[in-house]
Amino acid sequence: MSDNEFDDDDDFDDKLASKEANLLASGFIRESKIVLNQGQWQDLYDNNFFGQPEEKSLILDPEEVVLLVERGRIKIFFDKELEHEIPIDQYVNIVSELLPDFWRKYLVYKD
């Protein structure tokens, strides 16, 4: 038996499918916040009270974004076309520069 948990292609595909099944929405960056388009965010807002509705979009605060990305519930992108995904560490760096107290707020929010 190998130490690599993804040696069996079927196991890898099952794990990937399971992870993708949890994905609720994709959004793009606007200033330090993330915008989710209508139709993708209903569950996040209606059942979990994430974000603030604005016209046909849901606006997520940076603390919400990081938590939801960590949980595999959303993906974030640089552009509205959703072509260039932002790695979470890069998003955190951007937000930390714009909001110096981001980590403190995030740690409080996460608890």
Side-chain angles (χ1 to χ4, degrees):
M1 176 134 199
S2 171
D3 290 340
N4 185 349
E5 67 178 299
F6 297 119
D7 276 347
D8 185 337
D9 286 339
D10 292 335
D11 286 345
F12 178 77
D13 291 340
D14 290 344
K15 289 177 191 290
L16 184 61
S18 172
K19 203 170 198 93
E20 292 295 321
N22 289 328
L23 184 67
L24 288 177
S26 300
F28 63 93
I29 191 168
R30 182 175 79 192
E31 297 170 9
S32 64
K33 299 183 181 209
I34 295 296
V35 178
L36 303 179
N37 293 323
Q38 185 177 21
Q40 293 188 323
W41 54 266
Q42 294 304 129
D43 185 58
L44 287 173
Y45 182 74
D46 293 343
N47 298 325
N48 300 297
F49 305 105
F50 284 106
Q52 295 293 319
E54 180 181 289
E55 295 180 16
K56 295 182 178 182
S57 300
L58 183 71
I59 310 300
L60 297 172
D61 286 326
E63 298 83 13
E64 295 171 312
V65 171
V66 173
L67 183 69
L68 290 169
V69 169
E70 285 180 345
R71 291 182 178 176
R73 304 299 299 239
I74 65 169
K75 289 185 179 181
I76 53 176
F77 295 82
F78 282 107
D79 51 5
K80 290 182 182 183
E81 291 75 31
L82 306 179
E83 293 178 3
H84 302 98
E85 189 172 351
I86 303 172
I88 190 61
D89 58 336
Q90 189 172 359
Y91 176 75
V92 167
N93 287 339
I94 292 168
V95 170
S96 295
E97 287 180 22
L98 296 171
L99 308 168
D101 61 344
F102 167 73
W103 276 115
R104 181 183 57 79
K105 285 183 176 183
Y106 175 68
L107 293 174
V108 170
Y109 179 79
K110 187 175 179 180
D111 283 342

